[in-house]
Each structure stands twice: as C-alpha cells, then as structure tokens.
Amino acid sequence: LLKLYKTTKTKTTASLPMRLCVKSIPKTFNAWTRVCTRFNSSLSDDKRDEIAKGPGLELFLQHAPKSSDELKRVKGQHLNLPSWLKTEIPKGENFSNLKKSLRGLKLNTVCEEARCPNIGECWGGKGGAPATATIMLLGEECTRGCRFCSVRTVRRPKPPDPNEPRNTADAIASWNVEYVVLTSVDRDDLPDGGAQHFAETVRELKKRA
C-alpha cells in the first residue's frame, strides 16, 4: 500500500482513467484502510466537491436517543413518529388524473403495488420537481418472492394483457409528466421472460413520441 501511495503521487498517473488515493496506511494487519477511487465522470469539479461535502451520518444521529432508556415507553404514553419519517396523504389534481387514467386503462404501477410512501411526491411533482410515474408491465403478479417487496407472488401469474403496450402508450401521451419509468414484474413462467411484451411497449411509445 505504501508503494501504491507513492506511485500515485507521480506525474505519470495524471493520464490514467482511474486514480487511487490512500487515505491512511495501516500499521498492523488488523487496521482498516480507507482507499477512495475516483473515476472520470461528466460532473464538474464543483459538483463533485458538493457531493463529497454532503450530509454525513452525524446529521441523522444528532437527534438520536443517548440511551436505551429513552426508547422505553411509559404505560399509557403515546410516542409520535419523527417528522422525517412522516409523509403527507397523496392528493392533488395531477395525482388524481394519473390514478383515474391508470384505472381506466387497467394499468399497474410499482408505486401502488409496492405501497411506496412517496407516491404523492412522484405523481404530483411536489416542490417544483417534475411529475413522474413508474408503470409496471406484465401484470401485477410476480414469480419471485423478494422479502423487501410488497408485490404479490404467485407461481403461475395471469397471461400478459395484449392491450397493455398500446394502453401504456396512450396513457403516457395524455399525462402531464416530465418522464416515465417502465419496469415490470419477473415472469419466469414465460419463455422469453416477457421481453417481446416489453419491446412491443417501447415500439408503441415511439409511435406516439
């Protein structure tokens, strides 16, 4: 590591696509070594510095309880959730229009199926952010049983809706959103895993782009 540290200090490494910098040299085999790797990117130096100086773990721990006794609830006491863990009830004109359009065209979204708490911010474009929606293709039933996901798991899902590619394109064309994300459930029951269905959806979108 010491040799690596010295070689990165030379001028010959300036043209390399990757630069390694050793933050600390361990004195024993059990010491932890922090090696940071910087790749060439399209970000400006100011933007990279802004990211590097962003919030750290201490920002989230400044209001943490100092002892486990503070986490114990007294009988009859009601503990409120912290403000950063709460979210507003989804509402707004854009949110209502998106939901109505989805139900009319029988489309699914991972936002609803996975019970995402941030659905109101994405669909409504909260705080001046661009409104967006994530459409989930190939139905609402998945052949995988991931523990972190709320999408329903079945061994043999329903066949894909043949009208879903066209309905997806019609819905996106009528929405007032900046961009749309397409995702899908896993369909291990299909020979191609749903690739043809996905490709047909993209073709329909390009016709209306």
Side-chain angles (χ1 to χ4, degrees):
L1 286 174
L2 183 59
K3 184 178 180 181
L4 174 63
Y5 177 72
K6 289 181 178 179
T7 56
T8 55
K9 301 285 284 186
T10 62
K11 296 181 180 180
T12 57
T13 58
S15 60
L16 293 177
M18 179 176 66
R19 184 177 61 187
L20 298 175
C21 59
V22 178
K23 293 296 185 181
S24 62
I25 304 300
K27 296 181 180 179
T28 64
F29 288 105
N30 296 327
W32 285 96
T33 304
R34 295 182 58 195
V35 179
C36 68
T37 306
R38 177 176 294 181
F39 296 90
N40 289 338
S41 68
S42 58
L43 294 177
S44 63
D45 292 338
D46 293 338
K47 191 64 177 179
R48 284 201 296 263
D49 291 339
E50 182 182 348
I51 296 174
K53 297 176 182 177
L57 182 61
E58 62 278 358
L59 178 65
F60 299 95
L61 297 179
Q62 60 183 353
H63 300 297
K66 298 180 180 179
S67 66
S68 58
D69 295 335
E70 298 182 29
L71 296 175
K72 294 180 180 179
R73 185 176 63 174
V74 182
K75 187 176 181 180
Q77 179 186 8
H78 177 71
L79 297 179
N80 294 323
L81 293 174
S83 58
W84 51 266
L85 195 59
K86 298 179 181 178
T87 184
E88 297 180 0
I89 297 176
K91 59 183 178 180
E93 182 180 357
N94 206 38
F95 175 85
S96 300
N97 292 337
L98 282 177
K99 190 170 185 177
K100 184 178 180 181
S101 176
L102 289 167
R103 296 293 79 79
L105 295 173
K106 298 180 180 180
L107 297 176
N108 303 294
T109 66
V110 70
C111 316
E112 295 174 302
E113 299 302 326
R115 301 178 185 177
C116 178
N118 302 318
I119 185 173
E121 298 181 17
C122 294
W123 289 19
K126 183 179 179 182
T132 181
T134 301
I135 295 180
M136 189 170 67
L137 302 175
L138 297 168
E140 58 183 4
E141 299 171 333
C142 185
T143 54
R144 306 285 177 91
C146 303
R147 295 288 185 91
F148 58 83
C149 185
S150 297
V151 176
R152 184 170 54 178
T153 303
V154 295
R155 184 170 297 179
R156 296 185 180 278
K158 301 175 183 177
D161 182 4
N163 296 321
E164 188 177 56
R166 180 178 299 177
N167 290 341
T168 300
D170 291 341
I172 294 174
S174 63
W175 289 350
N176 182 28
V177 294
E178 295 291 333
Y179 64 94
V180 174
V181 180
L182 295 180
T183 185
S184 70
V185 293
D186 281 298
R187 293 299 299 263
D188 299 315
D189 59 311
L190 301 178
D192 64 347
Q196 179 63 31
H197 191 87
F198 225 113
E200 183 62 28
T201 303
V202 174
R203 282 193 287 265
E204 291 292 338
L205 283 171
K206 288 185 175 182
K207 290 180 182 177
R208 292 161 175 74

